[in-house]
Amino acid sequence: MEQLMRNFFLFLAKNKSLTNLAKRYGLRFGAGRFVAGATLESSITAIKRLNEKGMPVTIDHLGEFVDNEREAAEMTQHCIDAIKAISKEKLDSQLSLKMTSMGLDISDELVLSNMRKIMDAATKHNVFITIDMEDYSRCEKTLEIFKMLKSEYDNISTVIQAYLYRSLEDVQTLDEYHPNLRLVKGAYKEPQTVAYPEKSDVDNNFKKLIETHLLNGNYTAIATHDDEIIQYTKDLVEKHKIPYDQFEFQMLYGIRVERQDQLMQEGYKMRIYVPYGNDWYGYFMRRLAERPANVVFVLKGVFGK
């Protein structure tokens, strides 16, 4: 049943008609629980509230798959404006972005030009950038561009998805760059030819990635809401005397808030992934697919508690 619901929400995530409808009607029907606001300006209050609690964030302007240079230029400028806002508002925040929004599917020259503009601004304002990983078809290209940019800039990281068979090899290959990596389970629907179909196999691979990257001495962001993975990380860190400043936990805005608070109170760095923007629909559906229990929160948002 859970797998059926996951497939259903992933199907809805790709529905362009529903995406356009969602943009038209805004953050209704429970999405406001997971998305901080339609604009960065409207999200700053939520970000500052998290910072005041002692939680750093990474912000993400929602939007994917631009297919022309004008839209890619607009998204690039939005990232630069967000970097400036982080600096101006003195937010304890990083910036996450998807390279499909910067022209990844249009040309290598375009996406590299746009990414260097963003990285130049980020370096100037001392803001850290994470390149989100997207679906499997874009994985190799994303890592190639990350390697190029990592050789030019220090303040950049990317994401490795545990459900892909290739990910352990990717972590080992990237070690020569001493990268900061965010490790996640993965939220796209992929065929069994490239991704583990069973949750138990994904979890086991996730643990291998965490162990490998931490024991290689690299900074590791463990992005999960899964108590088993969290406990595994705690035990690994204790066993190998890994310093707390070599890793952090990351969770999504609005999900398992009490657990976020608990981890912070236990002395762990707890970063919150804060999305914002009108193009929230695909992100929202993937969150429901990842954790069908989130549907309960949506229903409460629609019908009241």
Side-chain angles (χ1 to χ4, degrees):
M1 181 64 180
E2 184 169 319
Q3 185 62 39
L4 181 65
M5 290 183 69
R6 171 180 165 80
N7 290 339
F8 173 67
F9 286 118
L10 289 174
F11 168 76
L12 292 180
K14 295 183 178 180
N15 189 298
K16 291 186 177 180
S17 296
L18 291 176
T19 297
N20 291 332
L21 196 65
K23 287 180 180 179
R24 179 179 176 185
Y25 286 100
L27 291 169
R28 302 180 187 178
F29 306 114
R33 178 183 176 89
F34 306 107
V35 180
T39 65
L40 178 56
E41 290 75 18
S42 65
S43 307
I44 285 176
T45 299
I47 295 168
K48 287 186 174 179
R49 190 181 305 122
L50 290 167
N51 285 171
E52 287 166 2
K53 288 172 63 177
M55 294 180 180
V57 307
T58 183
I59 61 172
D60 183 5
H61 181 242
L62 299 173
E64 305 173 36
F65 312 130
V66 304
D67 58 8
N68 62 76
E69 292 190 17
R70 179 187 59 79
E71 288 183 345
E74 289 175 356
M75 290 298 292
T76 299
Q77 186 57 50
H78 188 94
C79 286
I80 293 170
D81 291 343
I83 289 166
K84 292 178 180 178
I86 289 171
S87 177
K88 178 182 177 182
E89 297 289 338
K90 296 181 172 57
L91 304 177
D92 187 355
S93 177
Q94 300 178 355
L95 175 69
S96 295
L97 58 83
K98 290 179 173 59
M99 287 200 299
T100 48
S101 295
M102 312 306 150
L104 182 67
D105 295 346
I106 300 173
S107 76
D108 292 357
E109 182 180 10
L110 178 66
V111 70
L112 275 168
S113 173
N114 286 336
M115 285 301 301
R116 287 189 175 110
K117 291 174 184 176
I118 292 168
M119 292 308 305
D120 287 343
T123 300
K124 178 180 178 180
H125 293 284
N126 195 30
V127 174
F128 195 86
I129 304 296
T130 297
I131 300 172
D132 285 336
M133 188 59 71
E134 302 181 66
D135 63 2
Y136 178 81
S137 67
R138 297 173 175 90
C139 182
E140 183 66 30
K141 180 64 70 176
T142 297
L143 293 180
E144 287 177 7
I145 292 174
F146 168 70
K147 291 174 186 177
M148 292 176 65
L149 293 173
K150 186 67 173 71
S151 66
E152 301 172 29
Y153 304 93
D154 291 329
N155 56 325
I156 189 167
S157 71
T158 192
V159 179
I160 298 294
Q161 300 164 319
Y163 68 172
L164 297 181
Y165 299 139
R166 61 173 289 164
S167 291
L168 182 58
E169 183 177 351
D170 285 336
V171 167
Q172 293 167 334
T173 300
L174 288 170
D175 182 50
E176 67 176 281
Y177 297 88
H178 304 294
N180 174 325
L181 293 179
R182 178 194 298 155
L183 306 180
V184 305
K185 287 191 178 183
Y188 293 85
K189 184 174 175 57
E190 303 288 2
Q192 294 186 21
T193 52
V194 301
Y196 294 103
E198 299 298 329
K199 179 181 183 299
S200 59
D201 293 327
V202 176
D203 288 349
N204 288 334
N205 200 42
F206 201 171
K207 293 173 183 177
K208 290 178 184 176
L209 299 180
I210 294 168
E211 179 181 27
T212 300
H213 200 54
L214 278 174
L215 294 187
N216 280 343
N218 298 312
Y219 193 88
T220 308
I222 301 98
T224 184
H225 302 94
D226 189 323
D227 283 326
E228 180 183 343
I229 299 298
I230 292 170
Q231 190 59 51
Y232 172 81
T233 303
K234 289 180 176 182
D235 294 342
L236 181 73
V237 164
E238 183 177 354
K239 177 181 178 181
H240 294 281
K241 302 296 187 289
I242 295 170
Y244 278 25
D245 61 2
Q246 193 190 321
F247 72 98
E248 65 185 49
F249 290 109
Q250 293 187 3
M251 289 190 184
L252 300 171
Y253 177 77
I255 299 182
R256 300 206 69 191
V257 174
E258 291 182 1
R259 190 70 169 110
Q260 296 172 9
D261 291 340
Q262 181 184 19
L263 285 168
M264 186 190 67
Q265 290 164 7
E266 291 173 0
Y268 298 101
K269 188 171 185 177
M270 179 75 250
R271 186 179 302 276
I272 309 302
Y273 186 98
V274 179
Y276 67 95
N278 284 321
D279 199 8
W280 54 266
Y281 175 77
Y283 171 87
F284 185 39
M285 289 300 110
R286 286 196 294 275
R287 299 295 75 76
L288 297 182
E290 277 181 330
R291 196 166 181 258
N294 290 334
V295 176
V296 175
F297 297 126
V298 175
L299 294 176
K300 286 182 179 180
V302 174
F303 298 110
K305 296 182 180 181

